[in-house]
Amino acid sequence: MFLSSFYGIIDSKNRVSIPSHFRLVINNSKEKIYIFKSLKYKCLEIHLSSKINSLIKSFDESDFFSKKNDHFKTAILSDLEEITFDKEGRFILKDQLQKFSKLSKEIMFIGKGNHFEIWEKKLGETHKKISRAKFK
């Protein structure tokens, strides 16, 4: 599971190094991983292929003629990209993803159990504070 929060950076070549704990989860799963623009927040979501396959299956089982279902498929699948790592566990973050999520040099990884998110550092810290305040 993807647990906890970690800080990181985007280097001068737009490379992001996934925290070692998260890389361990990914390596142990032996699954491909995918990144896409979150539909809920100005962040990026990273999911294992099993979750993406589950989403696709649920799309296929839903009402084929539903416009809402079609919009959902388009919103997620049209921006979905497989991530490949170099030998140091880094991947290149494309400009369009960086612009969407307002990522700058300092970033934050937030574990969400079966996936994790990448946030601009200050936005991620604010998101965590707001989320905790909602449960007081």
Side-chain angles (χ1 to χ4, degrees), residues 68-114:
K68 183 177 181 180
N69 185 40
D70 187 64
H71 291 308
F72 192 54
K73 286 193 301 190
T74 301
I76 292 178
L77 300 179
S78 67
D79 285 330
L80 194 68
E81 295 182 31
E82 182 179 345
I83 295 175
T84 55
F85 295 111
D86 64 14
K87 59 186 173 195
E88 281 93 36
R90 299 172 300 194
F91 72 95
I92 295 175
L93 185 63
K94 293 189 176 178
D95 287 337
Q96 66 179 8
L97 295 175
Q98 195 170 347
K99 287 176 186 174
F100 167 82
S101 54
K102 300 180 181 186
L103 296 179
S104 55
K105 184 175 176 104
E106 295 183 323
I107 58 177
M108 182 175 197
F109 300 86
I110 298 178
K112 297 277 184 107
N114 65 358

Side-chain angles (χ1 to χ4, degrees), residues 20 29 89 135:
S20 60
S29 75
F135 288 99

